[in-house]
């Protein structure tokens, strides 16, 4: 019989603990080994049995979640998924949790009933827990030390018509990056190591709505390049990275010699919005051989097909290697499809962006 994923729930609300426990126990491959009202109780439970995944609220009495997370990652790294209402506001505390080593972060579901979770939201939540159980926590820590039917449509529908062939006749390079679980730390590393003359960068990171703006602002404060949450019609310019807003698809478009992004409020693609496939496929169509496509750490297969289309359009395509990924899901799917021209470590990616973008198409 397949081993179940052992989960420890940490939240100061008894109602939240009960609701999450019922939710997890409804999955046949999950086992809740305990709940704790604060990190002190949690530490006692971890001494008795080590969980595969911890769900953690960051607002708690006695010891806050961030302090606990910092101590945990230093003493006994265990995959942590932050489940907090702070993500609704995109609070900087949520960003800090990821920087301290949390695998992912999700909005705290309504606590009135398990039924309050819509089916797609529930599936994503469960997939995040499963991905966390497989995550390589040491890789997240290593990166930190060096510096997410009708509900799921094809990306082709979101992109629309193909551009004319003449639209591709340019040598200006652009970079399209897609990531999910573990991606905020990976993106942090890449952006931190790009210089002001880097090519335009368009990024899709699976994140809750509102969270992307805070993440972009934080990156902008620590990076040499300009980083901002994308707005509809924003130009793709050298020395700047645009991050797709949570709950909006981002497409690369072109008008004359000008690349820009278009935001779309369409249906989920691969159960995500924004979707990496939408970004990659639009980049393939509008930038062709003038693009660099990079798929990084994350669960699922979003972006694999789009990266293949970028490669077929003449783009230089990169997949992050297994050894440097927190979750080797999305890059693995891309490699399986033959979509990546090169597989490389996270540390190699920034230099490759700069060197490849300096070459003529």
């Amino acid at each position: 019989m397949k081993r179940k994923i052992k989960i420890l729930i940490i939240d100061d609300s008894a109602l939240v603990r009960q609701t999450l426990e019922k939710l997890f126990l409804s999955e046949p491959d999950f086992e809740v080994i305990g709940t704790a009202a604060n990190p002190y109780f949690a530490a006692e439970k971890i001494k008795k049995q080590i969980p595969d995944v911890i769900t953690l609220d960051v607002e708690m009495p006695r010891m806050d979640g961030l302090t606990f997370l910092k101590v945990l990652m230093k003493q006994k790294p265990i995959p942590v998924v932050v489940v907090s209402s702070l993500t609704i506001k995109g609070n900087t505390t949520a960003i800090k949790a990821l920087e301290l080593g949390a695998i992912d972060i999700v909005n705290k579901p309504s606590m009135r009933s398990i039924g309050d979770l819509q089916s797609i939201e529930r599936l994503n939540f469960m997939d995040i827990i499963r991905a966390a159980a497989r995550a390589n926590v040491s890789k997240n820590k290593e990166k930190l030390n060096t510096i997410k039917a009708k509900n799921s449509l094809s990306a082709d529908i979101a992109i629309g018509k193909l551009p004319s062939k003449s639209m591709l006749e340019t040598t200006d390079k652009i970079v399209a990056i897609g990531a999910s679980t573990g991606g905020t730390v990976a993106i942090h590393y890449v952006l931190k190591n790009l210089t002001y003359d880097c090519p335009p960068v368009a990024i899709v990171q699976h994140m809750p709505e509102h969270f992307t703006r805070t993440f972009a602002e934080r990156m902008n404060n620590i990076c040499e390049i300009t980083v901002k949450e994308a707005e509809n019609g924003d130009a793709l310019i050298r020395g700047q990275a645009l991050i797709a807003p949570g709950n909006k698809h981002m497409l690369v478009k072109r008008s004359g010699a000008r690349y820009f992004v278009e935001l779309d409020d369409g249906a989920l693609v691969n159960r995500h919005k924004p979707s990496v496939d939408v970004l990659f496929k639009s980049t393939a169509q509008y930038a062709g051989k003038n693009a660099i496509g990079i798929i990084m750490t994350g669960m699922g297969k979003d972006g694999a097909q789009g990266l293949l289309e970028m490669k077929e359009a003449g783009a230089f395509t990169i997949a992050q290697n297994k050894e440097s990924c927190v979750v080797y899901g999305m890059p693995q799917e891309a490699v399986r499809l033959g979509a990546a021209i090169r597989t490389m470590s996270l540390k190699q990616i920034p230099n490759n962006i700069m060197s490849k973008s300096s070459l003529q198409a």
Side-chain angles (χ1 to χ4, degrees), residues 119-187:
S119 59
I120 194 70
E121 186 181 1
R122 179 186 179 121
L123 285 171
N124 284 339
F125 191 8
M126 299 303 98
D127 282 349
I128 286 171
I129 297 297
R130 293 185 179 98
R134 301 191 301 270
N136 189 339
V137 184
S138 63
K139 293 303 173 186
N140 221 351
K141 184 178 179 182
E142 175 185 310
K143 293 166 202 166
L144 287 163
N145 288 338
T146 60
I147 31 182
K148 164 152 1 146
K150 184 177 180 180
N151 287 329
S152 184
L153 301 181
S154 165
D156 300 319
I157 296 174
I159 293 167
K161 296 180 179 179
L162 292 169
S164 64
K165 186 176 180 180
S166 63
M167 289 285 285
L168 301 181
E169 295 175 0
T170 179
T171 59
D172 290 342
K173 297 286 188 179
I174 64 171
V175 180
I177 297 176
S180 186
T181 311
T184 53
V185 174
I187 290 168

Side-chain angles (χ1 to χ4, degrees), residues 55-328:
T55 68
L56 176 68
D57 187 15
V58 291
E59 294 181 293
M60 289 182 293
R62 296 190 66 188
M63 180 189 288
D64 67 89
L66 291 184
T67 302
F68 171 75
L69 184 60
K70 187 175 182 178
V71 173
L72 181 73
M73 290 303 159
K74 184 179 292 186
Q75 297 181 355
K76 185 70 178 179
I78 297 171
V80 172
V81 175
V82 172
V83 182
S84 173
S85 57
L86 287 179
T87 62
I88 297 172
K89 300 176 182 178
N91 193 287
T92 55
T93 304
I95 302 276
K96 186 66 176 175
L98 291 171
E99 293 178 348
L100 289 173
I103 296 299
D104 214 328
I105 187 162
V106 296
N107 291 331
K108 184 175 288 186
S110 169
M111 290 301 112
R112 294 189 302 274
S113 163
I114 295 175
D116 287 340
L117 279 176
Q118 296 179 5
S119 59
I120 194 70
E121 186 181 1
R122 179 186 179 121
L123 285 171
N124 284 339
F125 191 8
M126 299 303 98
D127 282 349
I128 286 171
I129 297 297
R130 293 185 179 98
R134 301 191 301 270
N136 189 339
V137 184
S138 63
K139 293 303 173 186
N140 221 351
K141 184 178 179 182
E142 175 185 310
K143 293 166 202 166
L144 287 163
N145 288 338
T146 60
I147 31 182
K148 164 152 1 146
K150 184 177 180 180
N151 287 329
S152 184
L153 301 181
S154 165
D156 300 319
I157 296 174
I159 293 167
K161 296 180 179 179
L162 292 169
S164 64
K165 186 176 180 180
S166 63
M167 289 285 285
L168 301 181
E169 295 175 0
T170 179
T171 59
D172 290 342
K173 297 286 188 179
I174 64 171
V175 180
I177 297 176
S180 186
T181 311
T184 53
V185 174
I187 290 168
H188 179 168
Y189 181 84
V190 171
L191 296 183
K192 183 75 173 173
N193 286 280
L194 294 180
T195 58
Y196 69 93
D197 59 340
C198 74
V201 182
I203 299 170
V204 163
Q205 162 70 41
H206 296 156
M207 294 184 181
E209 190 175 2
H210 307 302
F211 182 54
T212 43
R213 180 173 296 251
T214 306
F215 177 60
E217 290 172 352
R218 193 165 179 86
M219 292 300 98
N220 187 58
N221 288 334
I222 64 175
C223 295
E224 180 176 326
I225 68 171
T226 300
V227 184
K228 71 183 293 283
E229 184 185 54
E231 298 178 67
N232 197 48
D234 273 350
L236 284 160
I237 58 177
R238 296 189 72 84
Q240 178 173 274
L242 298 178
I243 297 177
N247 205 33
K248 295 278 186 182
H249 292 305
M250 184 169 73
L251 296 79
V252 167
K253 294 290 183 77
R254 187 169 169 231
S255 176
R258 172 179 172 266
Y259 289 109
F260 65 97
V261 296
E262 181 178 284
L263 303 183
D264 180 78
D265 196 21
L268 301 177
V269 173
N270 298 324
R271 291 183 13 210
H272 292 288
K273 189 167 69 170
S275 163
V276 181
D277 260 337
V278 171
L279 173 65
F280 283 177
K281 290 189 176 194
S282 66
T283 303
Q285 292 176 8
Y286 283 87
K289 63 184 180 181
N290 303 310
I292 300 168
I294 305 169
I295 193 164
M296 300 201 299
T297 176
M299 64 180 181
K301 62 180 182 178
D302 188 31
Q305 182 62 39
L307 194 72
L308 178 61
E309 293 188 19
M310 287 188 69
K311 178 186 175 185
E312 291 172 343
F316 184 76
T317 55
I318 298 170
Q320 185 180 349
N321 67 7
K322 182 177 181 179
E323 291 74 19
S324 65
C325 281
V326 173
V327 176
Y328 188 56

